[in-house]
Amino acid sequence: MYKIVRKSEIAPKIKLFEVAAPDIAAKANPGQFVIVKTCENGERVPITLVNADTKKGTITFVFNEVGKTTRQLGLLNEGDSILNVCGPLGNPSEIEKFGTVLCVGGGVMIAPMLFQVSAMRKAGNKVITVIGARIKDLLFFENEMKALSDEFYMATDDGSKGYKGLDFLKEILTKQKVDRVVAMGPVVMLKAVSEMTKPLGIKTIVTLTPIMVDGMGMCGACRVTVAGKTKFGCVDGPEFDGHQVDFEELVQRQRMFLPEERLAALFHERIGGINVVKCES
Ligand SMILES: Cc1cc2nc3c(=O)[nH]c(=O)nc-3n(C[C@H](O)[C@H](O)[C@H](O)COP(=O)(O)OP(=O)(O)OC[C@H]3O[C@@H](n4cnc5c(N)ncnc54)[C@H](O)[C@@H]3O)c2cc1C
Ligand code: FES
């Protein structure tokens, strides 16, 4: 059982949990994720780490309530315990002194980008951070990112805060020498960033979030194609060379269970209503 020591809603339907997990905190690095299970027969949900505090023995993660399981998770409160947290899983991000690193975090994945930004800065890089969301209300960690970055920009799809869209990145990428780009966020964003950097020859690392089950390389659910070869998102990634990823296949595979996911969310809402049965764990 993993006790939630801090809970906050940092944007609508986006929740932050700090959880007592000393064993995981001791080994966790930026780029890694945990798999969370809220009840015995529940779905296993992968969530990327935002921080690991070895002194406090806690890990922090942020999740978006998009479906049945993440909504169930969001019903837990400070002092409650999560049945199971497995990790750290996946490979740590490659952190070293590259020179100038552009970090792009989109949607809920702004959160784990904070861990990367902090580590890239500690490694001696000049860090340019960009956070983006659909609308201004979904932007978060503005002050935290600003404090850790040499340059900081915001963008929204509708232009309600910061730049409208990500086209302005072209200017950043051409006006100064950027040695590496790291991106975490929706597939459409990862693809757009990778397409921008490819002609410029800037190494671009993207975090992929294919559907996962075991997270340990056994089931094959997280299969992705990179440089024409089959890779497993959980054990070979989750970070890959953005110029080599088959994004179309990734999108198709992510949508594989959409009807079932919609049905599960609907059933869950109708049966439990908004007062969805709190996961008794
Ligand atoms: C390595 C990795 C890291 C992730 N990190 C975060 C994070 O830091 N914060 C966050 O909010 N979300 C993260 N996700 C996505 C998160 O796991 C899904 O949103 C979650 O599983 C949805 O579960 P659900 O039952 O609430 O919704 P569902 O109804 O099951 O699904 C809603 C959407 O989430 C996707 N999804 C469903 N199950 C999985 C799964 N097992 N693995 C991946 N995607 C799935 C589906 O494509 C669907 O579009 C990550 C996914 C992966 C693979
Ligand atoms: S999640 Fe099963 S092999 Fe990656």
Side-chain angles (χ1 to χ4, degrees), residues 29-266:
N29 287 294
Q32 291 186 295
F33 61 94
V34 288
I35 288 194
V36 172
K37 211 171 125 175
T38 46
C39 22
E40 200 51 62
N41 301 318
E43 191 184 23
R44 295 161 58 84
V45 174
I47 304 179
T48 315
L49 292 166
V50 173
N51 192 29
D53 187 325
T54 44
K55 280 195 193 129
K56 282 164 77 184
T58 60
I59 53 166
T60 303
F61 54 81
V62 167
F63 60 95
N64 198 357
E65 293 180 5
V66 291
K68 182 185 162 202
T69 310
T70 44
R71 283 183 206 163
Q72 276 181 332
L73 189 63
L75 288 171
L76 297 176
N77 289 314
E78 244 170 55
D80 288 343
S81 291
I82 302 172
L83 178 67
N84 197 266
V85 182
C86 174
L89 299 167
N91 296 297
S93 309
E94 207 185 336
I95 305 287
E96 55 183 78
K97 189 167 178 183
F98 297 110
T100 299
V101 181
L102 172 65
C103 300
V104 188
V108 70
M109 299 302 271
I110 291 172
M113 185 50 88
L114 188 68
F115 209 178
Q116 287 239 8
V117 166
S118 165
M120 287 292 189
R121 185 73 183 273
K122 272 188 204 142
N125 293 290
K126 174 182 173 184
V127 178
I128 306 171
T129 304
V130 174
I131 62 169
R134 276 190 295 112
I135 52 169
K136 69 174 188 320
D137 291 352
L138 296 175
L139 286 170
F140 55 89
F141 283 177
E142 184 180 336
N143 294 334
E144 292 85 342
M145 290 290 195
K146 250 187 213 164
L148 289 168
S149 311
D150 294 279
E151 284 179 38
F152 174 73
Y153 303 91
M154 285 182 287
T156 44
D157 289 353
D158 65 354
S160 52
K161 193 164 183 179
Y163 287 91
K164 189 171 191 296
L166 287 177
D167 278 353
F168 75 100
L169 288 183
K170 283 180 197 148
E171 210 178 306
I172 298 178
L173 292 164
T174 47
K175 272 198 174 159
Q176 54 184 309
K177 185 177 171 290
V178 173
D179 300 289
R180 178 168 285 232
V181 174
V182 289
M184 290 177 149
V187 179
V188 61
M189 186 204 94
L190 303 181
K191 184 170 182 262
V193 172
S194 302
E195 281 170 358
M196 255 183 235
T197 57
K198 196 171 179 179
L200 301 169
I202 305 170
K203 179 97 171 169
T204 300
I205 302 298
V206 295
T207 296
L208 303 187
T209 53
I211 288 179
M212 291 187 183
V213 180
D214 63 295
M216 292 171 196
M218 288 182 284
C219 68
C222 65
R223 179 167 67 74
V224 288
T225 304
V226 183
K229 293 195 178 111
T230 296
K231 299 279 174 190
F232 285 172
C234 62
V235 287
D236 299 319
E239 295 186 359
F240 293 98
D241 181 344
H243 299 157
Q244 308 281 348
V245 172
D246 183 340
F247 288 109
E248 272 69 32
E249 182 196 56
L250 177 63
V251 169
Q252 272 177 21
R253 287 186 61 81
Q254 274 186 336
R255 290 186 182 148
M256 239 180 347
F257 300 109
L258 217 52
E260 290 85 352
E261 286 160 3
R262 285 197 181 133
L263 205 64
L266 197 70

